[in-house]
Amino acid sequence: MRRRRAAVAAGFCASFLLGSVLNVLFAPGSEPPRPGQSPGPSPAPGPGRRGGRGELARQIRARYEEVQRYSRGGPGPGAGRPERRRLMDLAPGGPGLQRPRPPRARPLPDGAPGWPPAPGPGSPGPGPRLGCAALRNVSGAQYLGSGYTKAVYRVRLPGGAAVALKAVDFSGHDLGSCVREFGARRGCYRLAAHKLLKEMVLLERLRHPNVLQLYGYCYQDSEDIPDTLTTITELGAPVEMIQLLQTSWEDRFRICLSLGRLLHHLAHSPLGSVTLLDFRPRQFVLVDGELKVTDLDDARVEETPCTGNADCILEFPARNFTLPCSAQGWCEAMNEKRNLYNAYRFFFTYLLPHSAPPSLRPLLDSIVNATGELAWGVDETLAQLEKVLHLYRSGQYLQNSTAGSQAEYQRLPDSTIPQEDYRCWPSYHHGGCLLSVFNLAEAVDICENHAQCQAFVVTNQTTWTGELGERTS
């Protein structure tokens, strides 16, 4: 059974500058495209401040080698064995990609690897299902936003499914700062695009219910840049903390449970322990109430090398932690602990305890306190979150909290109480009082504790945990 939740979606005009937007899907800027806008001339190549083209080529090769490592298996402790299926097959007619023509030779900075990068023999699979052909007749294109490197668009595929498209932001800080330094627009694009390629590889290698799904990718010439990369992914809603604080505890707990499951997966992934260096709510999205990580270009697999505990200081704005240096010369569980403390300071401390059932609050407080002190690892944290779910789903949290009612209620089958609703908080319906209950006894208990409640209606709607819906009046 699933908890249902009403939502109102704003409509968008299908003709939202579609032709201009589609042109930018492969070379997006930080703002929606304007009619008649044309790209400016490429800056002339210059020597740069740090070795010119040679330094740019070195950075491109470093990112290229990082992508190749993640394609084959992560280095360091706990790395998985290489897989032998391809993530990408760039040959014409290959799986998951329809290319309009074979790749052409391009001038590159000295020492830089070719672009598009050829897949290695250990690239993972199975390959993505969608390619360039899927993007030829999209509709409803909408600019969603951009960050340091990438811009994101929402489009609807010919079959009706809505997906997200990610591409390098041509007006973004990452590409702009590189062009100002090196004066090589194409080389700088390749440098930035390798971050998008890295994210694509990690989305494929780290498949999990709480990792955004990669549907496909496309290489296409755009503006003055050949072979620009666009990835096609699952579409999610941004995480807005202010809005989350106004939702029910049950939905907020679901987000924390999703995060706990994700961190457990990252700590035990096929690549080894993965840490998210840029861990903020904006790196996640919500898909049908589940939290999913979407931004992985700043993820890291390698544990921190050390010669002593002084090399294993985990620094945060409010406090620092010193972790042990293992006999093998790695800071023990630093990737895992970094993720866990960020989960505490961005999510758990705000979403877990507030308005929780009273009998669950001691256990929730222990989860918040233990993660805030890094007293637990992700395994114990997830075990305790799953325990909370069991207590809540089974109704055991009610054993000591519902007393016998002193009032008498008359059962009225197939009845409603129109225009007698009142507002309560938190509620699934902001215009009234719609709550979730485990059984009739809990519904009676809630009504007894609301001074305005004179009656309630038990609906046939259920939540993601199987709880019933109750509308009070």
Side-chain angles (χ1 to χ4, degrees):
M1 294 185 289
R2 297 279 182 184
R3 180 184 296 276
R4 300 177 185 174
R5 189 174 171 189
V8 178
F12 292 95
C13 178
S15 60
F16 178 72
L17 299 177
L18 184 57
S20 298
V21 172
L22 292 180
N23 179 58
V24 178
L25 289 177
F26 307 105
S30 59
E31 297 180 355
R34 297 185 292 275
Q37 184 179 17
S38 60
S42 299
R49 295 191 299 271
R50 292 185 296 162
R53 292 291 186 94
E55 172 62 19
L56 177 58
R58 186 196 65 78
Q59 294 185 24
I60 293 174
R61 177 161 294 281
R63 288 189 182 177
Y64 170 81
E65 291 173 351
E66 181 184 32
V67 171
Q68 292 298 305
R69 289 198 307 271
Y70 295 156
S71 296
R72 291 169 170 82
R81 291 180 297 177
E83 300 182 22
R84 298 194 177 277
R85 293 171 293 180
R86 293 173 182 261
L87 168 65
M88 298 187 300
D89 186 347
L90 300 184
L97 179 67
Q98 296 97 14
R99 290 181 54 82
R101 72 270 174 286
R104 300 188 293 267
R106 317 286 188 188
L108 295 171
D110 294 338
W115 181 268
S123 299
R129 297 181 293 276
L130 298 180
C132 297
L135 304 181
R136 289 172 186 163
N137 297 302
V138 298
S139 61
Q142 179 188 356
Y143 169 83
L144 297 180
S146 58
Y148 190 85
T149 303
K150 304 183 296 288
V152 185
Y153 288 81
R154 178 190 188 275
V155 300
R156 192 168 295 278
L157 300 178
V163 298
L165 303 183
K166 288 186 179 182
V168 172
D169 185 353
F170 273 44
S171 299
H173 183 277
D174 204 356
L175 185 62
S177 61
C178 176
V179 171
R180 286 191 296 272
E181 181 171 0
F182 298 111
R185 184 174 169 85
R186 292 186 181 184
C188 286
Y189 172 82
R190 295 186 183 100
L191 182 66
H194 272 92
K195 294 184 71 174
L196 185 59
L197 186 62
K198 170 187 172 181
E199 179 175 273
M200 185 171 72
V201 169
L202 289 177
L203 288 175
E204 184 71 15
R205 293 301 306 270
L206 298 175
R207 287 187 176 191
H208 184 266
N210 299 111
V211 175
L212 201 71
Q213 291 188 60
L214 174 69
Y215 291 151
Y217 59 92
C218 174
Y219 285 101
Q220 175 114 349
D221 288 352
S222 182
E223 295 189 351
D224 60 332
I225 305 294
D227 294 314
T228 60
L229 172 62
T230 299
T231 60
I232 310 168
T233 69
E234 184 177 20
L235 181 67
V239 174
E240 303 287 352
M241 294 301 294
I242 298 300
Q243 295 179 10
L244 290 181
L245 292 174
Q246 301 175 38
T247 62
S248 69
W249 175 82
E250 188 172 342
D251 284 349
R252 286 184 275 115
F253 172 70
R254 184 182 188 183
I255 291 171
C256 294
L257 178 63
S258 299
L259 185 56
R261 289 170 174 171
L262 171 65
L263 298 191
H264 181 270
H265 173 65
L266 294 180
H268 303 284
S269 84
L271 299 176
S273 182
V274 179
T275 191
L276 305 177
L277 296 179
D278 189 2
F279 194 118
R280 292 173 293 169
R282 64 177 297 176
Q283 314 304 116
F284 300 85
V285 294
L286 292 173
V287 179
D288 296 328
E290 286 281 331
L291 188 74
K292 298 194 177 193
V293 63
T294 178
D295 200 331
L296 290 172
D297 58 353
D298 288 315
R300 188 180 72 186
V301 175
E302 298 84 356
E303 289 281 13
T304 302
C306 59
T307 58
N309 292 353
D311 298 325
C312 300
I313 299 177
L314 198 53
E315 297 181 346
F316 296 98
R319 62 178 303 181
N320 298 334
F321 298 89
T322 301
L323 303 180
C325 178
S326 70
Q328 292 75 31
W330 301 97
C331 295
E332 288 187 5
M334 179 169 275
N335 285 353
E336 172 185 331
K337 293 297 181 71
R338 179 184 286 108
N339 288 342
L340 194 57
Y341 189 78
N342 279 324
Y344 156 79
R345 69 190 187 107
F346 285 115
F347 288 92
F348 293 167
T349 190
Y350 299 110
L351 302 183
L352 266 183
H354 188 55
S355 71
S359 62
L360 294 178
R361 286 176 191 166
L363 179 54
L364 294 170
D365 287 341
S366 68
I367 294 173
V368 173
N369 293 335
T371 53
E373 296 295 328
L374 291 185
W376 294 346
V378 294
D379 292 354
E380 180 63 23
T381 301
L382 178 58
Q384 295 301 317
L385 288 170
E386 296 285 2
K387 180 179 179 181
V388 173
L389 175 63
H390 172 72
L391 294 174
Y392 188 71
R393 178 174 278 168
S394 65
Q396 294 182 42
Y397 71 101
L398 296 172
Q399 291 180 354
N400 298 321
S401 60
T402 55
S405 172
Q406 302 299 317
E408 295 184 0
Y409 288 83
Q410 182 180 1
R411 184 184 182 94
L412 301 174
D414 302 322
S415 301
T416 61
I417 309 174
Q419 299 179 351
E420 293 291 338
D421 209 348
Y422 67 92
R423 293 183 179 182
C424 67
W425 186 87
S427 170
Y428 285 96
H429 189 280
H430 295 302
C433 190
L434 180 61
L435 306 171
S436 64
V437 296
F438 179 75
N439 53 24
L440 285 177
E442 186 179 13
V444 169
D445 187 63
I446 290 175
C447 192
E448 290 287 285
N449 286 280
H450 285 200
Q452 294 173 275
C453 182
Q454 302 296 320
F456 58 86
V457 176
V458 178
T459 73
N460 61 356
Q461 294 179 326
T462 57
T463 70
W464 67 277
T465 62
E467 299 277 292
L468 296 170
E470 175 211 29
R471 183 179 294 278
T472 60
S473 300

